[in-house]
Amino acid sequence: MAGKNALIVFAHQEKTSFNSALKDAAVESLKKTGWDVTVSDLYEMMFNPVLSRDDIIGNPKNPNHFNYAFETMEALEEGRLSKDIIAEQNKLRSADLVIFQFPLYWLGMPAIMKGWLERVFTQGFAYTLQNIYDNGLFKNKKALLSLTTGGSSTMYSPQGINGDINVMLWPLQSGILHFCGFQVLSPQIFWSPEGSSNKARTKMIELWKARLENISQEDPVHFVPTAMFDMSAKGGFQLKKEVQKSNTNEHYGLSVGQHLGKGIPPNNQYRSEK
C-alpha cells in the first residue's frame, strides 16, 4: 500500500471501555509503524446520525418530492453539503485504510455508526450507479471491521444459537464496504471480552497491535468478481449462466450471498482468500 493514512471510526460511549482500549491500541500500533492516524470518535463528536433535509445547504432541487440520494449528490457537486458531512468525507478521501471499531449491538453496528455511514457515504462520493463493487470509487482503499461481542465464538458458529457470524458480516462487508469498492480485510473479532479474564483481554490487545504492524500486507476477503455477473437490466444483474453451470457439482456455493441454494463456503467473510 503506497499511502500511510488511516482513519478509525469509533463508536462507543464509554472511554473506560474495552472498545476504547482497542481504539487506543490501534492508534499506538499504526503510528509506531509510520501511519498517520485520524480518529472520528462519534459519541465524543456528538455526531448526528439522522438523515434529513438539513444535510444540504440552501433550497432542494425538488422540495415537493425530496429524494435524499439525488439531493445530496447535487449538493456535493455544488458544495452545499452540511459541514459535518464534508469534514468526514475529507477524512475518508485521505485515508488508505479505514477501521471501524465498535461493539456488536443487536447483530449490527451501533446506530450512531450506521448513521455515519448513511450520511457520509453519499451518492457521487462513495458510489455512483456505474461505480460499484469491483469498480467502486473506494477500490484503492482498504477497510476492516474491528468489533466486540457479548457472546462466545461458539454462539456465532454455524451450529450456534446466534447463527453463523459470516451471515451477519455479509450486509456490512459486502452490502456497504465492498459495494463502495473497498478491499475488505478479515474482521478482527474480540469474542466476549466482558466474560474474559484481564490476562485474556490483555492478550487480545497485544494480538491486535501485532496484526496492525503488518496490516498493509494483508489480502482481502473473497467476493465474487463483478465480471461473473450479467451487469445489465435484461440480465437482471445475476450470475452468468456459465458461472452457475460451472458450480453445479460443487458442494458449496460461491459466497454467503451467492450460495446458489447450497452450503455457504466456510469462513467466507471471516478469513481472507489467501
Side-chain angles (χ1 to χ4, degrees):
M1 183 181 294
K4 297 288 284 188
N5 296 304
L7 170 63
I8 300 176
V9 184
F10 174 63
H12 199 289
Q13 66 276 17
E14 179 51 59
K15 292 186 180 297
T16 62
S17 67
F18 188 66
N19 267 270
S20 186
L22 293 170
K23 178 259 296 177
D24 292 342
V27 172
E28 177 187 340
S29 183
L30 289 169
K31 285 187 174 181
K32 179 182 176 181
T33 50
W35 289 80
D36 290 325
V37 184
T38 301
V39 177
S40 283
D41 186 334
L42 303 185
Y43 283 100
E44 185 177 70
M45 295 160 56
M46 298 183 69
F47 184 83
N48 175 19
V50 180
L51 288 71
S52 74
R53 290 191 180 202
D54 292 337
D55 289 347
I56 67 169
I57 298 170
N59 296 323
K61 299 294 183 180
N62 188 346
N64 296 322
H65 182 67
F66 188 88
N67 181 302
Y68 187 87
F70 170 77
E71 294 286 355
T72 52
M73 179 179 66
E74 292 291 304
L76 173 68
E77 294 178 356
E78 299 171 4
R80 296 187 297 108
L81 278 176
S82 65
K83 292 181 179 180
D84 60 339
I85 294 177
I86 291 174
E88 297 307 296
Q89 289 183 342
N90 287 338
K91 295 175 188 178
L92 266 172
R93 281 194 183 92
S94 300
D96 304 290
L97 171 68
V98 184
I99 298 173
F100 295 89
Q101 180 65 59
F102 61 96
L104 192 68
Y105 284 170
W106 297 108
L107 306 184
M109 291 177 165
I112 196 170
M113 180 174 280
K114 184 59 162 52
W116 183 91
L117 287 162
E118 291 176 355
R119 293 186 67 224
V120 176
F121 281 25
T122 59
Q123 185 172 342
F125 171 74
Y127 69 97
T128 70
L129 299 181
Q130 296 75 35
N131 298 100
I132 55 175
Y133 294 113
D134 294 354
N135 193 39
L137 297 177
F138 293 158
K139 63 184 179 182
N140 295 321
K141 300 179 185 293
K142 293 187 176 183
L144 75 90
L145 305 178
S146 173
L147 60 105
T148 59
T149 69
S152 65
S153 60
T154 56
M155 294 173 70
Y156 294 91
S157 70
Q159 300 80 30
I161 192 168
N162 289 342
D164 189 344
I165 189 66
N166 290 275
V167 175
M168 300 173 204
L169 291 169
W170 179 262
L172 303 177
Q173 295 191 161
S174 177
I176 300 175
L177 300 179
H178 181 51
F179 180 85
C180 295
F182 278 110
Q183 300 170 52
V184 183
L185 304 181
S186 300
Q188 185 77 17
I189 303 179
F190 301 90
W191 304 106
S192 189
E194 189 173 0
S196 303
S197 66
N198 288 337
K199 183 178 180 180
R201 287 193 293 270
T202 299
K203 183 66 173 179
M204 290 179 189
I205 291 174
E206 291 306 313
L207 289 173
W208 176 223
K209 290 165 68 174
R211 178 188 176 186
L212 289 171
E213 289 179 3
N214 299 294
I215 198 69
S216 61
Q217 306 302 316
E218 290 192 9
D219 295 307
V221 298
H222 173 71
F223 295 99
V224 179
T226 306
M228 290 188 175
F229 295 85
D230 183 340
M231 298 296 286
S232 69
K234 183 178 179 180
F237 300 89
Q238 296 188 86
L239 285 167
K240 294 176 180 177
K241 287 183 171 56
E242 59 266 30
V243 174
Q244 297 184 49
K245 185 177 180 180
S246 68
N247 189 260
T248 300
N249 297 321
E250 299 295 328
H251 180 69
Y252 296 110
L254 298 175
S255 70
V256 172
Q258 293 82 31
H259 53 70
L260 299 172
K262 302 180 180 183
I264 293 173
N267 291 321
N268 175 246
Q269 292 296 295
Y270 190 40
R271 295 282 182 250
S272 67
E273 55 185 333
K274 292 185 180 179

